[in-house]
Amino acid sequence: MQHVDTHRETYSQDHPAPPSVWKDLGALLIKIAAIAAITLLLFTFVYGLHYVTEPSMTPAIEDGDLLLYYRWDKDYHSNDLVVFKKDGAKQVRRVVASSGDEVDITDAGLVINGSVQQERSIYAKTQRYETDIKFPLVVGQDEVFVLGDAREGVSDSRVYGPIPQSKTQGTVIALLRRRSL
């Protein structure tokens, strides 16, 4: 007479065997790869990061700060911070005038469309540089005139003229101070 263990058969039918550790690990790795791919796509086509290595935007942005910028918004307005490449290096500057605005730099300071600008966060007087840029100038269609916040000795539109919007990389949307890490 054969003895049949009915207890084991009932247990295996009610409770399937646990999934293998390798199957769970594979599923986890697929999820991690998908998240990494989405992050890579976002930071390649939608957002960008820029590590600031120059003091041209002091005090608003300090050397060592990390900036997050949005690539798709190129409808710039006065006071926007833009990221662009000039002479192979990324720069961050403040938009002070856009398409159709007249920019002049006089003894009174920065003049936009005939009005002297009262810039609260600028602590040095805006002065002309001895360059080929002639003032007053009218900012062309789809261009922006940009200045550094630290106005003395900074390379900006006073040196290289207005920047075509197509040459910009995006608008700064967030700032992470390295000293707060």
Side-chain angles (χ1 to χ4, degrees), residues 39-52 61 65-74 76 80-86 88-93 165-176:
T39 302
L40 179 66
L41 287 172
L42 280 174
F43 280 93
T44 300
F45 298 109
V46 180
Y47 298 102
L49 292 173
H50 174 59
Y51 182 76
V52 179
I61 300 173
D65 289 346
L66 183 65
L67 303 176
L68 175 67
Y69 59 93
Y70 183 61
R71 296 178 190 272
W72 290 1
D73 181 15
K74 296 203 175 182
Y76 301 119
D80 283 349
L81 296 176
V82 297
V83 177
F84 59 94
K85 266 193 177 174
K86 190 68 178 168
K90 280 187 185 177
Q91 294 184 5
V92 179
R93 300 291 185 267
Q165 290 178 356
S166 62
K167 301 288 184 185
T168 63
Q169 294 188 351
T171 306
V172 174
I173 58 173
L175 166 73
L176 180 64

Side-chain angles (χ1 to χ4, degrees), residues 14 36 116 120 151 155 170 173 181:
D14 293 340
V116 176
R120 289 181 271 210
R151 297 285 163 90
S155 178
I173 58 173
L181 293 179

Side-chain angles (χ1 to χ4, degrees), residues 64-124:
D65 289 346
L66 183 65
L67 303 176
L68 175 67
Y69 59 93
Y70 183 61
R71 296 178 190 272
W72 290 1
D73 181 15
K74 296 203 175 182
D75 181 26
Y76 301 119
H77 302 283
S78 184
N79 220 24
D80 283 349
L81 296 176
V82 297
V83 177
F84 59 94
K85 266 193 177 174
K86 190 68 178 168
D87 300 327
K90 280 187 185 177
Q91 294 184 5
V92 179
R93 300 291 185 267
R94 187 173 305 279
V95 174
V96 295
S98 55
S99 298
D101 288 338
E102 182 183 77
V103 179
D104 199 1
I105 299 175
T106 66
D107 290 337
L110 178 64
V111 179
I112 306 292
N113 297 327
S115 298
V116 176
Q117 301 301 295
Q118 302 298 321
E119 300 172 291
R120 289 181 271 210
S121 60
I122 306 302
Y123 302 112

Side-chain angles (χ1 to χ4, degrees), residues 101-172:
D101 288 338
E102 182 183 77
V103 179
D104 199 1
I105 299 175
T106 66
D107 290 337
L110 178 64
V111 179
I112 306 292
N113 297 327
S115 298
V116 176
Q117 301 301 295
Q118 302 298 321
E119 300 172 291
R120 289 181 271 210
S121 60
I122 306 302
Y123 302 112
K125 186 176 177 184
T126 304
Q127 298 179 348
R128 287 186 188 187
Y129 289 159
E130 295 298 324
T131 64
D132 294 336
I133 306 300
K134 303 296 179 210
F135 292 97
L137 68 81
V138 175
V139 180
Q141 184 67 30
D142 298 323
E143 292 182 332
V144 289
F145 193 90
V146 295
L147 294 174
D149 284 357
R151 297 285 163 90
E152 296 176 10
V154 173
S155 178
D156 52 28
S157 286
R158 295 174 290 176
V159 174
Y160 41 71
I163 303 288
Q165 290 178 356
S166 62
K167 301 288 184 185
T168 63
Q169 294 188 351
T171 306
V172 174

